[in-house]
Every structure is written in structure tokens, then in C-alpha cells.
Amino acid sequence: MNKMEALKFLASEHHVVPEELDVTVGYFNPADALGVARLFYAVYGDAYPIDTYYIPERLVEENERGNIRSVVARTSGGDVVSHTALYRSSSPNPNLYEAGLSLTLPSYRSTRAFLGLIPLANALVGHDGIDGYFAENVCNHLVSQKITWNAKAQETALEPALMPASTYEIEQNADGRVGCIIFFRIARDCRRTLYIPPSYREELAYLLDGLNLDRELVEADVFPAAGGGKLEVRRFDFAGVARCTITSPGTGLAEQLADLERELRTDGYAQIQIFVNLGEQWSGSVVEILRNRGYYLGGLLPVWFGSDGLLMQKHFVDPGFDSLHIYSKRGRYITDMIRHDWERSRK
């Protein structure tokens, strides 16, 4: 079954979940797959950008492979009314999962169905190859930030204007592009070298505070490396975002970036993100190239590559800092830090 066939089926069955039933929570099993697909369709219509969550057999396969670890709340009739998960996503480290895919049927949002899922999801961390997780929590409301903060995760990065408002059209809770603040919780770690780009020495010291990571801090090399450099690009047309990883340094990166930025502007993209490996001595020279091209700080990404990562970003639209709703004092400090660097990048 493909996405078009799945959506046609979901639209035709007109399934209605009875209200006010008692629910139980548990880890996903194959019998839950259709209920999860129905839930995504009920909340997002056909707008969710990843096909898997509409296609029951794919949900079963991905949970069996360990790429998704779903937790669900079920009614006595077996309907899934709430869902969250840890899942492999954009990090190249297979042991760093993303926490998300959290949604609840509107008629069950006044219950505690979703809150019952959180302890089960958190219990997965530190076991079965899940060394930690990150969560991109939206900043058009505070609910998900508060839940993640209460789970002892820490804010380390900010992505202004990440998602288009159309993603939240059915929920009608977004007025313009929606930013995200990134939380990390690392349960299993080892001593690693972290090369500090001199331009962000103070910022990284703040972001590392409280993470309980064992790091040898070494100043990164800022001298430009000869050669073209290598940039891997992944485009997300639905979001208008390009995510790029620099896999080798070189002065030729500036020209590659200039060409890419022209293409993205022409195609109506909102932003470009660059992921820099802070486990490499050359990270400092790459950061200087980016800063000279108008990129600004996104934040720290612990164990993103196995080693830690640095997020740099550039917007082709207004980042919308004034519209961000930030829950914690730490989160607001990080927002001010990143906004200050954005202002620096525009001079």
C-alpha cells in the first residue's frame, strides 16, 4: 500500500472513535497500526509529510526494526487515541533518537491519555541501543516544551521559522512559520574531544552547562584548509528547509554555499541549516567560513555525529524571534543568545 491508497482508505471508512472511554497505555504492537494511521489522519488530514504514519504495514515494519519505538494509549475497543515515539531521524548517529510524533485525538485531550505515555517513552532511554534523544519542540505554544523539560531534558539549540504554518492548519494554532527549540537528554555517553570554535567559546560553555557530558575541550583550528571541501545536502521541499552536513573542510565551501543559496532562494526556500562536526579539529575554520557568509548560531547538538555537532543557520525569511513562545529561563537565555548572533550576521 502506498500513501495515496492509504489516504483513500482512511477517507472512505469514516471511522469514529467513541468518546469518554477508559484508556490503557503500552508499547506498540502490530494490532495498533491501523489505529495509529487513523489518529494521524484525524489530526493532520492528508498533510503530514511522512508517508509511514498513514500506512499500517510500514508502521509495523519500522517498529520491528527499531527505527520507531511507538507508545500508544488505547481504548477498550482498541482505538488508538494518543501516540508518541522515539525514532531515528536526521541524526547520523543511529543511537541518538528523536522524541516526537506526539498527538492526541481532540476528543481525548481533556484526559490524561498523553501524559501516561511519557514515562514509558522515557524508560526506553539508555536501553536497546537508545543512548539518548533530542526533541524539536514547537514554539507556537508551551505545552510540549514543558513536558520535555519535566522529563529532565535540556535546551541546547533553537530553529526559528522551521516549519510552515500549513503543517498546523487543521489545528489552527499557527500564524506564520513555526520555530522549534531543541532539547537533548543523553543517558549513555563516553569521554570525547570537543573542538571549540573560538567565535563561540562563551556560548558553548553555557550550552554545555548542566548536560553532564564528559568532554575534553580543545580550541579548534581557524586556519582555512586548502581544497574544495565537501557539502552533503538534503532538501525538504514541504518545509522549505535545506539541511546540509559539511564532511570535509576547504576554501571551496564558500562558493558551493553561494551556489546553493541562489538555488534555494529561487525555489522559495525559507532557510538553510548547516551541521558541523565538533569532533574535527577543522570545525573552527568551517565556522569562520559560515560566519563570513552571514550564517549564525543555532546551537549545540550533543553526540549528533557520535561526536558533538554545531548547528549554524541562515534564513531567507524573517526568523520571527518576536513570535517565539519559550517556556524556561534557560530557553529564553538561549533565544536571546541566538538572536544576538543573528543580528551580528546581518551587519
Side-chain angles (χ1 to χ4, degrees):
M1 180 182 293
N2 59 34
K3 181 180 179 181
M4 184 176 297
E5 292 168 336
L7 289 172
K8 184 177 180 180
F9 169 77
L10 292 167
S12 66
E13 66 166 352
H14 303 294
H15 184 75
V16 177
V17 177
E19 297 183 19
E20 299 182 2
L21 297 179
D22 291 337
V23 301
T24 58
V25 299
Y27 295 114
F28 177 92
N29 64 58
D32 297 318
L34 178 57
V36 173
R38 285 169 170 164
L39 176 61
F40 271 80
Y41 185 72
V43 173
Y44 291 107
D46 62 1
Y48 199 75
I50 302 175
D51 296 359
T52 296
Y53 303 102
Y54 293 113
I55 304 173
E57 55 264 38
R58 287 198 197 170
L59 284 163
V60 173
E61 291 171 1
E62 291 299 283
N63 271 274
E64 289 177 345
R65 291 171 180 166
N67 292 326
I68 305 172
R69 299 294 302 274
S70 290
V71 188
V72 300
R74 315 174 185 92
T75 69
S76 55
D79 286 303
V80 175
V81 299
S82 191
H83 175 276
T84 194
L86 301 181
Y87 58 103
R88 292 188 174 117
S89 60
S90 51
S91 169
N93 177 1
N95 297 325
L96 178 66
Y97 281 59
E98 183 168 359
L101 302 172
S102 300
L103 65 166
T104 301
L105 200 67
S107 58
Y108 280 80
R109 289 179 186 171
S110 61
T111 73
R112 297 182 63 82
F114 177 72
L115 292 178
L117 307 182
I118 305 304
L120 290 179
N122 283 328
L124 296 169
V125 183
H127 307 283
D128 298 327
I130 303 177
D131 292 345
Y133 69 78
F134 68 96
E136 293 179 296
N137 289 157
V138 293
C139 297
N140 56 327
H141 61 73
L142 300 177
V143 175
S144 59
Q145 294 177 53
K146 183 176 181 179
I147 291 171
T148 307
W149 189 85
N150 285 335
K152 309 303 181 186
Q154 290 260 34
E155 303 95 324
T156 68
L158 182 73
E159 302 168 294
L162 179 67
M163 296 296 293
S166 59
T167 307
Y168 308 91
E169 186 173 354
I170 289 180
E171 298 295 293
Q172 297 180 340
N173 61 0
D175 184 14
R177 292 187 68 90
V178 175
C180 290
I181 188 164
I182 308 180
F183 289 71
F184 275 78
R185 180 184 168 200
I186 307 300
R188 293 195 300 196
D189 189 36
C190 60
R191 184 169 177 80
R192 306 175 195 271
T193 300
L194 193 159
Y195 291 100
I196 303 289
S199 297
Y200 294 123
R201 185 182 294 106
E202 293 182 7
E203 289 86 349
L204 286 170
Y206 181 86
L207 294 170
L208 284 165
D209 187 40
L211 293 178
N212 298 317
L213 302 176
D214 186 5
R215 296 292 180 263
E216 178 188 5
L217 304 182
V218 178
E219 186 163 303
D221 190 353
V222 297
F223 297 103
K230 187 174 180 182
L231 184 70
E232 295 180 353
V233 182
R234 187 178 179 190
R235 299 188 184 210
F236 297 86
D237 292 340
F238 73 91
V241 175
R243 286 183 158 173
C244 310
T245 298
I246 295 175
T247 57
S248 65
T251 54
L253 286 171
E255 185 176 350
Q256 292 180 55
L257 288 166
D259 291 341
L260 177 60
E261 290 164 22
R262 280 193 291 270
E263 291 177 15
L264 296 176
R265 288 180 185 274
T266 299
D267 293 341
Y269 269 56
Q271 66 171 287
I272 178 173
Q273 298 180 325
I274 308 289
F275 297 83
V276 181
N277 190 344
L278 295 181
E280 299 285 357
Q281 176 74 56
W282 47 255
S283 62
S285 64
V286 166
V287 166
E288 290 309 304
I289 290 172
L290 295 171
R291 283 169 57 88
N292 289 335
R293 283 209 53 80
Y295 287 77
Y296 69 97
L297 181 66
L300 176 68
L301 308 174
V303 305
W304 189 259
F305 298 94
S307 53
D308 302 323
L310 185 76
L311 173 62
M312 300 288 289
Q313 54 196 341
K314 187 180 207 177
H315 281 78
F316 309 129
V317 298
D318 186 343
F321 284 100
D322 290 336
S323 67
L324 298 173
H325 298 272
I326 306 296
Y327 174 69
S328 75
K329 181 179 179 180
R330 176 182 169 94
R332 291 189 291 274
Y333 186 93
I334 290 172
T335 300
D336 290 342
M337 173 197 303
I338 290 172
R339 183 171 190 164
H340 178 76
D341 200 48
W342 169 69
E343 291 169 347
R344 184 273 315 162
S345 73
R346 301 174 70 209
K347 294 178 181 177

